[in-house]
Amino acid sequence: MARGLFISENFVKENSEIDENVDMKLINPTIWYCQKLYIEPALGTALYNDLIADVVAVSVTGDNLTLVDDYIADALLYWVKHEIQVPLTYKFRNKSVSKNTDPNSQTVDFSEHKYLRDFYKPKAQEFTQRLKDYLC
């Protein structure tokens, strides 16, 4: 099955604090991972697979469009913001794992990363609960 995504890289950038210069090679795998880890269990595998098939075929309509646009997108956005912090900070290279630095910015320490993850997680959980409530 193709790796259809419920939200796009542009959706993430336009609806979050994630900067425009963040590479899609970091965002798209995080979207897919969050879909599989958080959204599929909320939807159930059968509905998840049906929706992904519709996304890949560009044929999401009716109630499914409402589900994707009004419920899945919000939950998924906050799960992405929760999960993307480590991939944004660390890079896996040939010889090591490195930490990105920039002369115009200062990297955050572990406690600050934990704070950010803890900040976004309850929001992601709330949107996921709204998704589940809508399904019921």
Side-chain angles (χ1 to χ4, degrees):
M1 177 174 280
R3 283 192 172 187
L5 301 176
F6 291 123
I7 61 175
S8 68
E9 166 197 1
N10 286 336
F11 180 87
V12 171
K13 290 178 180 179
E14 290 171 4
N15 293 284
S16 74
E17 304 84 354
I18 295 174
D19 201 66
E20 290 293 323
N21 69 351
V22 175
D23 191 343
M24 69 179 243
K25 289 181 356 183
L26 300 172
I27 296 174
N28 286 345
T30 305
I31 294 170
W32 180 82
Y33 170 80
C34 290
Q35 282 183 190
K36 294 298 286 178
L37 188 64
Y38 302 110
I39 303 303
E40 183 176 1
L43 296 173
T45 301
L47 178 56
Y48 176 87
N49 287 339
D50 287 345
L51 288 171
I52 288 295
D54 288 349
V55 167
V56 169
V58 192
S59 63
V60 183
T61 59
D63 290 339
N64 286 350
L65 184 60
T66 300
L67 180 60
V68 171
D69 286 352
D70 295 347
Y71 295 93
I72 293 173
D74 291 335
L76 190 52
L77 176 64
Y78 277 91
W79 284 120
V80 168
K81 288 169 36 170
H82 172 73
E83 292 288 344
I84 200 164
Q85 296 168 49
V86 171
L88 288 178
T89 304
Y90 300 99
K91 301 295 177 238
F92 293 84
R93 311 277 187 210
N94 267 347
K95 296 182 181 188
S96 70
V97 175
S98 61
K99 185 174 181 179
N100 285 342
T101 58
D102 184 330
N104 299 321
S105 63
Q106 181 179 2
T107 58
V108 297
D109 63 24
F110 178 76
S111 65
E112 290 170 309
H113 266 291
K114 183 173 179 349
Y115 169 79
L116 287 172
R117 286 180 55 88
D118 291 346
F119 178 80
Y120 289 121
K121 187 174 184 177
K123 292 166 180 58
Q125 290 170 326
E126 172 62 27
F127 281 115
T128 302
Q129 187 59 50
R130 289 180 186 185
L131 164 63
K132 290 176 182 178
D133 292 345
Y134 175 76
L135 290 173
C136 291

